[in-house]
Each structure stands twice: as C-alpha cells, then as structure tokens.
Amino acid sequence: MGIEDAIAFFISGAGKSPHIDTVHIGVYCVLLQYCLRKNGNGSVPLTRARIMNATRVASPTTYFRLLKDLDRSGFIEYCPSYHPKGNTKIILLFPGRKEVLTIRSNNHEDK
C-alpha cells in the first residue's frame, strides 16, 4: 500500500466517523509520516513530545483522547503502557496490513 492508498483509506473513513475532526487528521498524518519513514525496519525513535510538537497539541490529556478516538474509529490500535518506563505501541491499521510504531517512555523524550 502506497501513501496515496493509506491517505485515501483514512480520508474515506474519517468522513464517516463522528469522532474525527481536523486535529485527529493532523495526529494521523504525523503517525503515517513516521510509519512511512520506518520502511518496515522495526520501531522508529518516536516520543509523545515529538508527536505533540508536530501536531501542536499542548495537553497530554488531549493527546491521549485523540489516540483513543482514532483507536475507537478503527484507524489505529492504541496499546498504552501504564508503566513509567514502558513503551507504548501504536499500530496503524490499513486494509490487509498493520504497521507498528513504538512510542518511547517519557523518561527518554526529546526536548
């Protein structure tokens, strides 16, 4: 699946979901960018701070709500680690394919 297919899949589904608005689209686009940058070579060095900065989301509460909304709408699988040193997984769901992104714990975040 190319980037055009991934974007078309998301846009067609986002238009039908009452939970998705422009901020969700921004978060999804950042996740997709990192997924495409990964090229199937394992996890990418990605942090919550980096995602929040790229999407201009200032509140961790909003960030977590956005990920839960994307999960509930079927675009990602959000697997949070509730351990302070654990890594969170975000799995981007495409028709017939999953791409795994690992979000490093807060203790390793880029500033």
Side-chain angles (χ1 to χ4, degrees):
M1 171 181 284
I3 188 168
E4 297 87 6
D5 296 329
I7 292 171
F9 166 71
F10 177 71
I11 295 298
S12 68
K16 299 173 189 170
S17 177
H19 305 291
I20 303 299
D21 62 23
T22 56
V23 182
H24 294 87
I25 294 169
V27 170
Y28 186 84
C29 287
V30 168
L31 295 174
L32 181 60
Q33 173 192 5
Y34 280 103
C35 179
L36 293 170
R37 196 179 285 177
K38 180 181 85 166
N39 289 328
N41 295 325
S43 63
V44 283
L46 187 60
T47 62
R48 182 184 77 197
R50 189 177 287 175
I51 295 170
M52 288 177 63
N53 184 47
T55 58
R56 306 294 190 253
V57 172
S59 165
T61 303
T62 301
Y63 168 80
F64 294 124
R65 179 185 55 81
L66 294 168
L67 291 178
K68 289 177 186 177
D69 289 346
L70 288 169
D71 179 80
R72 183 176 51 223
S73 297
F75 298 112
I76 67 171
E77 284 181 20
Y78 174 53
C79 310
S81 169
Y82 297 103
H83 190 279
K85 294 185 180 179
N87 291 330
T88 293
K89 280 188 182 174
I90 297 176
I91 302 170
L92 274 70
L93 303 175
F94 306 117
R97 189 171 128 197
K98 292 182 179 182
E99 289 290 333
V100 179
L101 297 173
T102 302
I103 310 300
R104 294 183 300 185
S105 67
N106 294 343
N107 296 334
H108 302 93
E109 288 195 6
D110 299 338
K111 299 293 178 192

